[in-house]
Amino acid sequence: MQPRLYRYPVTVLFFAALMFSTVCFAAETPGAETKKEKKLTEKVKSWGAVPWEGIHSMKGAEYVGSEACAVCHEKQALEFKHSTHARISVPGDDVKAQGCEMCHGPGSIHVDNGGGRGTMVNPKENVSACFTCHMDKKAEFSLPHHHPVREGKMSCSDCHKAHGEEVRPWSATSLENINEACFHCHKEQRGPFVWEHEALREGCATCHKVHGSVNDKMLMARDNNLCLRCHTQVNFPSIGGSGHAGRLASGPCFSAGCHTAVHGSNFDEHLRY
Ligand code: HEC
Ligand code: HEC
Ligand code: HEC
Ligand code: HEC
Ligand code: HEC
Ligand code: HEC
Ligand code: HEC
């Protein structure tokens, strides 16, 4: 008797499709090495260093200490003195990887050559310098929806000031400053809007997981829970003075026909386009 599988072309097709999608998925498995990372691995290997383990660097380079850098990089040295990372010391045996060299790797070759490009790790192009310590961030940037940092299209320093007084520049004053970092690239969300959504005053990160998320558009939640954290009132399911019981059942608050202009609107006080 023929195996059942071959008697049902539909079944065969189904398995073919399944296999095909498995192959496609494997090629895009989050966390797999990106093209950019492969290139950098080659570069670091050519230095004779072990890629992505500890602070990788030029072969034979030794730690010289931050004072040696200040001679030529006065600006960075002054800024860095008061920064978040200046306050920490690296645990483990290799206590020499302190100060500047905790992110830039040992600097003797660079210093002996009078500086120049290509002899120091630059985290702007080589994000693994940050992942060395912030391993959880690598996982966040590998989630299905993420800022393209590992792909090399942007870097941690587009949002964080590595040398600055506060590596999270916004926390020094208010959360609202997070938004400034975002507006450099996302101008549409800046407004000004005739009707602002007050939620934005709490910062973009109240609704977005800015490194990466399992949800589309890097949202904290994909459903009404995103909005109900703030909009649950005593007379719920009445929201903003109007009954929402039926509406909440028909989809997310920000779906078509509802409050699609979540960041602010010029047309409608209820945040619609
Ligand atoms: C003798 C002067 C001198 C000293 C000392 C020095 N640098 Fe530099 N450094 C330079 C010059 C010059 C450049 C190239 C700048 C440019 O092209 O704009 C440079 C570039 C860099 C870069 C960018 C490299 C790249 O490829 O993008 C980093 C990072 C850096 N230095 C870090 C350090 C650190 C950390 C130290 C201390 C361990 C240090 N430097 C010591 C002169 C120096
Ligand atoms: C927490 C990690 C970290 C530490 C510690 C650190 N840097 Fe940097 N550095 C970065 C990042 C990220 C960049 C790239 C982004 C940028 O240019 O702002 C960078 C870039 C640089 C550059 C290159 C700027 C250019 O023109 O491309 C120099 C020079 C430099 N750092 C020097 C230093 C010196 C000197 C110290 C110590 C006083 C230091 N860094 C400490 C993360 C760090
Ligand atoms: C040698 C280990 C090490 C490296 C390399 C390193 N960090 Fe850090 N970073 C730390 C530690 C430890 C803290 C916690 C400091 C504290 O809580 O005061 C920290 C704190 C931070 C914070 C602030 C966290 C908070 O809660 O305020 C940010 C943002 C950050 N690092 C980003 C970066 C970026 C971006 C890079 C790469 C340019 C980097 N770090 C490289 C060890 C490191
Ligand atoms: C798109 C902007 C953006 C980029 C790119 C980015 N961050 Fe952040 N990061 C933020 C914001 C905003 C927060 C604050 C989030 C909050 O308060 O909920 C944050 C918080 C952090 C913190 C402290 C809180 C925590 O989540 O542990 C660390 C550490 C950190 N980032 C490291 C990194 C590293 C390392 C990179 C690069 C690999 C990076 N970030 C890239 C925006 C960014
Ligand atoms: C240096 C530029 C840059 C900065 C700064 C930046 N982003 Fe982005 N953002 C991007 C890029 C690039 C993408 C990916 C766009 C794509 O894949 O089509 C993106 C995607 C997004 C998306 C998903 C958009 C979509 O259509 O899926 C959200 C949400 C977002 N960013 C929010 C933020 C927030 C919040 C901040 C501030 C904490 C921020 N971004 C800072 C460049 C930036
Ligand atoms: C009240 C929650 C909330 C806040 C606060 C918020 N967003 Fe959003 N954002 C959303 C929702 C919901 C979507 C998805 C809309 C959709 O899927 O139609 C979105 C989508 C986006 C997108 C994708 C493009 C688009 O409009 O669909 C970008 C980029 C973005 N947000 C950036 C930002 C920035 C930058 C900030 C801070 C200034 C911010 N968001 C603050 C809820 C929020
Ligand atoms: C961080 C808290 C917070 C979150 C989260 C939040 N909002 Fe708001 N929202 C506010 C505040 C505060 C106001 C202004 C006061 C008010 O009208 O209740 C507001 C006002 C509004 C308004 C205008 C009021 C009206 O009469 O129509 C709409 C529409 C709205 N929000 C929709 C949403 C949607 C959709 C989401 C989810 C994507 C959301 N909000 C998430 C805080 C929040």
Side-chain angles (χ1 to χ4, degrees):
M1 193 179 140
Q2 284 267 317
R4 272 186 83 181
L5 197 62
Y6 298 107
R7 283 198 284 155
Y8 294 100
V10 178
T11 322
V12 176
L13 265 175
F14 171 76
F15 278 109
L18 190 74
M19 274 162 71
F20 178 66
S21 63
T22 312
V23 169
C24 292
F25 182 73
E28 278 181 23
T29 305
E33 214 177 10
T34 63
K35 254 191 219 153
K36 165 90 182 173
E37 284 169 344
K38 278 201 186 108
K39 242 171 101 184
L40 279 164
T41 305
E42 288 313 311
K43 183 175 162 189
V44 173
K45 272 187 185 157
S46 77
W47 290 353
V50 184
W52 329 141
E53 271 181 25
I55 311 280
H56 42 271
S57 58
M58 300 288 295
K59 188 178 188 177
E62 284 170 15
Y63 292 103
V64 293
S66 299
E67 296 77 26
C69 320
V71 182
C72 302
H73 300 296
E74 200 185 348
K75 181 175 163 279
Q76 282 87 353
L78 281 175
E79 271 188 342
F80 183 66
K81 233 181 232 165
H82 308 287
S83 79
T84 308
H85 288 94
R87 292 193 293 269
I88 63 163
S89 55
V90 188
D93 291 334
D94 204 354
V95 287
K96 287 172 183 162
Q98 307 286 7
C100 313
E101 292 169 310
M102 105 176 49
C103 292
H104 293 298
S108 65
I109 292 178
H110 178 72
V111 171
D112 292 346
N113 283 303
R117 302 235 158 224
T119 46
M120 288 307 276
V121 173
N122 190 339
K124 190 165 195 162
E125 60 169 56
N126 190 342
V127 65
S128 63
C130 310
F131 289 150
T132 303
C133 297
H134 297 287
M135 284 178 274
D136 58 322
K137 294 292 165 277
K138 182 164 184 180
E140 286 177 23
F141 281 101
S142 304
L143 291 170
H145 304 278
H146 57 265
H147 269 113
V149 166
R150 291 181 59 225
E151 291 78 1
K153 292 188 185 143
M154 58 190 286
S155 83
C156 311
S157 54
D158 283 318
C159 300
H160 295 290
K161 291 201 174 108
H163 305 137
E165 185 152 351
E166 192 46 77
V167 68
R168 295 198 279 170
W170 48 87
S171 58
T173 45
S174 83
L175 276 172
E176 219 177 319
N177 289 355
I178 290 185
N179 300 9
E180 284 307 316
C182 314
F183 292 151
H184 278 298
C185 303
H186 299 293
K187 302 204 186 323
E188 264 178 49
Q189 280 73 24
R190 181 196 280 276
F193 300 108
V194 177
W195 288 282
E196 286 178 16
H197 188 193
E198 273 182 43
L200 267 71
R201 295 193 191 166
E202 312 252 331
C204 313
T206 42
C207 293
H208 295 286
K209 286 184 78 98
V210 295
H211 297 138
S213 164
V214 288
N215 300 312
D216 194 24
K217 316 276 185 201
M218 291 185 259
L219 291 172
M220 310 269 285
R222 191 54 218 165
D223 53 20
N224 290 331
N225 290 325
L226 184 70
C227 316
L228 292 179
R229 283 177 302 152
C230 296
H231 288 289
T232 309
Q233 293 157 343
V234 255
N235 50 351
F236 185 79
S238 170
I239 302 173
S242 90
H244 271 70
R247 297 176 193 161
L248 287 177
S250 65
C253 316
F254 45 91
S255 57
C258 302
H259 310 290
T260 36
V262 277
H263 305 105
S265 174
N266 291 325
F267 311 105
D268 185 308
E269 62 180 313
H270 303 305
L271 307 183
R272 287 180 289 222
Y273 286 119

